[in-house]
Amino acid sequence: MTATGGAGAVAAGRIRHAGLARKVVPADAAAALIAPGDTVGMSGFTGSGYPKAVPEALASRISAAHAAGTPFRVNVWTGASTAPELDGVLAAADGIDLRLPYQSDPVTRRKINAGEMDYLDVHLSHVAQLAWEGFLGPLDVAVVEVSGITADGDLIPSSSVGNNKTWLDRADRVILEVNSWQTADLEGLHDIYYGTALPPDRRPIQLTAPGDRIGIPYLRCPEDKVVAVVETSSPDRNSRLAPPDETSRRIAGHLVEFLEHEVARGRLPERLLPLQSGVGNVANAVLAGLDVSGFQGLTAFTEVIQDGMFDLLTSGTVSVASATAFSLGPEAVVEFHDNAARYRDRIVLRPQEISNHPELVRRLGVLAMNGMIEADIYGNVNSTHLMGSRIQNGIGGSGDFARNAYLSFFLSPSTAKGGVISSIVPMVSHVDHTEHDVSVLVTEQGLADLRGLPPRKRARAVIEHCAHPDFRPLLQDYADRAEHRAYGRHTPHLLGEALSWHTRFLETGTMLPP
């Protein structure tokens, strides 16, 4: 990483605005403009486009303040998860008071679950609105990575957009990181829409297909609001996904077979509907399955372009993809950087208030595919909490898509921790997505299409098709006894037993009975 002072980037062509070039300072000087108690909106979404230098410099200042006995913590808002250079260093320095809206950093997660950091888990499409309403309080500083600044002072977005437009608009002062590692060919890839408003002034968003461009390629920020510019040359921190294993390939196979069946029945068009896919190994395997399935001319309206989606674009299976960020492994990053101009007409990066917009998801008819921690026999899904209390990452955008999708799929291996935890349980220990928002559950064991089924028939389908054989008889026994002993027979539960599987795991280390 480099974080230099001076106007060298002007000659390199990344800062083409003379006034902003005069504001270039070292990272520690920029970090000194952030005060204890400030709320800081930082760029970044799934390890892409986050500031690389200022957060580390800020963490050093915080550590020095703590060593001197001076309290120093800030509130941190982002687009979604970031990386060790942001979440990790600030959490390790005990520098974050409140974090929102999504995180995946292990140090951050540990502090949240220890009660040492407050965390607000928010639907990603709601964050900008909450900020504009003022409900979250004032935004003191925005720290936003860009890939360049034009001669007119427009900001060329980086490898993610996230909430950057909102942070730049709402913050009292702005710190820009200009990262020359990002390919210059990002210019022209983005579509920044400035037409959103709060009620009663909202207007229809004129986007009718995933590839439509309805905004401008740049972010805007008044020059006098920018208090510092920092030059960096540092890569995004995206991890390589594991290759599909047998379990994830079987999940993918069930899902692709279902889509083929729906096309054959005339319930989906041959080119399907726009795809949305969460991030992770299982989702990546599903996308890989689509790439060899025979489907062609697909589109995507999603949050993140990860390796599997990028492969679909490269092969031509997907003709165009709309998202708010990249999340690419090392090999895909090299391919994109070498050929970014070739993808400029096929990839659109938008603010997350557009990429996750519920009305657009509903109108476009998105097929939403997201992971889960557990589902219960009636189709309620927990995607955020382990054993009801311990946050894993957050709801992210899964709720934006699941509640509004044409079809919402939730995917998971049927067991976890070497088979001692069942992903299908009598009652979920935490509810993120109710049975009303879940169309299809898929595990390596099979697929349960829950559409049109009343609760007891849903339970039979989930147990028969999705549960692991080690747990299937136990689930059926629970459902049978609940049907005869519960307070009512519509959605039968034995309240004294409904969460006993989780209790048994906490006490014995397994959900299986002795």
Side-chain angles (χ1 to χ4, degrees):
M1 175 188 298
T2 62
T4 64
V10 180
R14 288 301 180 105
I15 305 176
R16 305 196 292 268
H17 186 274
L20 291 175
R22 287 192 291 270
K23 298 187 179 186
V24 171
V25 298
D28 55 354
L33 302 173
I34 301 173
D38 274 352
T39 294
V40 187
M42 298 208 186
S43 61
F45 198 108
T46 57
S48 292
Y50 58 92
K52 314 295 195 292
V54 173
E56 289 191 305
L58 177 60
S60 296
R61 291 189 67 236
I62 290 171
S63 294
H66 289 328
T70 304
F72 194 152
R73 302 181 96 195
V74 296
N75 303 314
V76 175
W77 306 349
T78 63
S81 56
T82 61
E85 299 97 325
L86 196 164
D87 273 327
V89 295
L90 289 173
D94 193 27
I96 302 178
D97 191 34
L98 171 71
R99 176 73 170 85
L100 70 86
Y102 183 89
Q103 54 76 40
S104 63
D105 178 74
V107 181
T108 301
R109 183 186 303 122
R110 176 172 53 79
K111 286 186 173 285
I112 292 168
N113 285 315
E116 298 169 2
M117 182 191 301
D118 284 336
Y119 175 54
L120 186 57
D121 191 16
V122 183
H123 292 296
L124 295 188
S125 69
H126 291 183
V127 180
Q129 175 176 291
L130 289 171
W132 276 106
E133 288 173 335
F135 183 79
L136 300 173
L139 182 60
D140 300 296
V141 187
V143 183
V144 174
E145 179 182 278
V146 296
S147 62
I149 303 173
T150 72
D152 293 328
D154 290 332
L155 309 179
I156 304 168
S158 184
S159 50
S160 69
V161 180
N163 285 313
N164 295 351
K165 178 182 76 70
T166 300
W167 299 164
L168 293 169
D169 284 348
R170 295 293 291 162
D172 294 330
R173 51 196 189 275
V174 171
I175 298 170
L176 299 174
E177 285 198 10
V178 181
N179 187 356
S180 60
W181 175 84
Q182 302 284 0
T183 172
D185 287 331
L186 280 171
E187 187 170 1
L189 193 83
H190 305 83
D191 186 57
I192 311 302
Y193 180 66
Y194 277 92
T196 54
L198 294 176
D201 298 318
R202 279 191 177 143
R203 297 292 181 268
I205 297 172
Q206 300 299 318
L207 191 152
T208 60
D212 288 352
R213 292 179 180 270
I214 57 175
I216 61 175
Y218 306 107
L219 292 161
R220 292 171 172 168
C221 181
E223 180 184 349
D224 60 1
K225 189 187 280 192
V226 178
V227 295
V229 177
V230 176
E231 300 173 74
T232 69
S233 181
S234 184
D236 287 333
R237 184 75 67 93
N238 282 313
S239 301
R240 179 182 286 107
L241 291 169
D245 59 11
E246 180 59 25
T247 295
S248 57
R249 280 194 293 267
R250 287 172 64 185
I251 293 171
H254 295 314
L255 183 49
V256 170
E257 183 181 11
F258 173 83
L259 294 173
E260 292 170 340
H261 175 265
E262 292 297 290
V263 171
R265 292 290 298 272
R267 292 195 287 248
L268 285 175
E270 289 187 1
R271 294 187 176 185
L272 301 179
L273 291 166
L275 304 173
Q276 178 263 334
S277 174
V279 177
N281 293 323
V282 172
N284 219 48
V286 170
L287 296 173
L290 285 168
D291 208 13
V292 297
S293 66
F295 286 113
Q296 290 293 319
L298 306 182
T299 62
F301 189 80
T302 188
E303 294 173 307
V304 173
I305 295 174
Q306 63 176 0
D307 287 10
M309 186 66 73
F310 189 69
D311 290 343
L312 290 172
L313 284 158
T314 301
S315 69
T317 301
V318 166
S319 59
V320 64
S322 167
T324 194
F326 289 107
S327 182
L328 300 177
E331 292 83 4
V333 165
V334 172
E335 162 65 19
F336 176 72
H337 275 220
D338 288 346
N339 300 283
R342 204 172 56 130
Y343 292 96
R344 193 176 292 133
D345 295 331
R346 302 178 59 211
I347 293 175
V348 187
L349 295 187
R350 314 179 187 277
Q352 70 191 62
E353 62 184 312
I354 301 299
S355 69
N356 291 51
H357 198 291
E359 190 274 330
L360 296 175
V361 173
R362 174 68 62 88
R363 179 154 47 82
L364 294 174
V366 171
L367 304 179
M369 302 175 288
N370 289 283
M372 63 181 182
I373 290 173
E374 60 183 2
D376 67 28
I377 59 176
Y378 297 114
N380 299 290
V381 167
N382 167 20
S383 61
T384 60
H385 284 71
L386 303 179
M387 299 298 138
S389 299
R390 185 177 295 177
I391 191 75
Q392 185 65 12
N393 297 329
I395 195 168
S398 59
D400 297 325
F401 286 94
R403 175 157 287 188
N404 301 286
Y406 186 80
L407 281 173
S408 62
F409 301 85
F410 282 93
L411 324 171
S412 174
S414 62
T415 61
K417 295 289 185 184
V420 300
I421 292 177
S422 175
S423 300
I424 308 298
V425 293
M427 179 185 282
V428 288
S429 59
H430 178 90
V431 181
D432 292 294
H433 313 283
T434 73
E435 61 195 87
H436 312 291
D437 302 328
V438 179
S439 305
V440 179
L441 294 177
V442 194
T443 73
E444 83 283 1
Q445 301 298 322
L447 179 148
D449 184 355
L450 306 182
R451 294 174 297 171
L453 297 182
R456 284 177 291 166
K457 290 185 179 179
R458 283 202 297 269
R460 287 197 286 273
V462 172
I463 293 169
E464 178 181 351
H465 297 296
C466 295
H468 191 277
D470 290 349
F471 291 95
R472 196 175 297 148
L474 300 171
L475 289 164
Q476 191 60 61
D477 173 67
Y478 173 86
D480 290 342
R481 288 185 295 109
E483 189 166 341
H484 293 94
R485 301 181 192 174
Y487 183 68
R489 296 189 64 189
H490 176 63
T491 309
H493 267 304
L494 300 174
L495 295 182
E497 289 187 36
L499 295 174
S500 64
W501 290 31
H502 301 84
T503 302
R504 185 159 55 238
F505 172 78
L506 292 174
E507 292 175 348
T508 69
T510 179
M511 284 186 172
L512 290 164

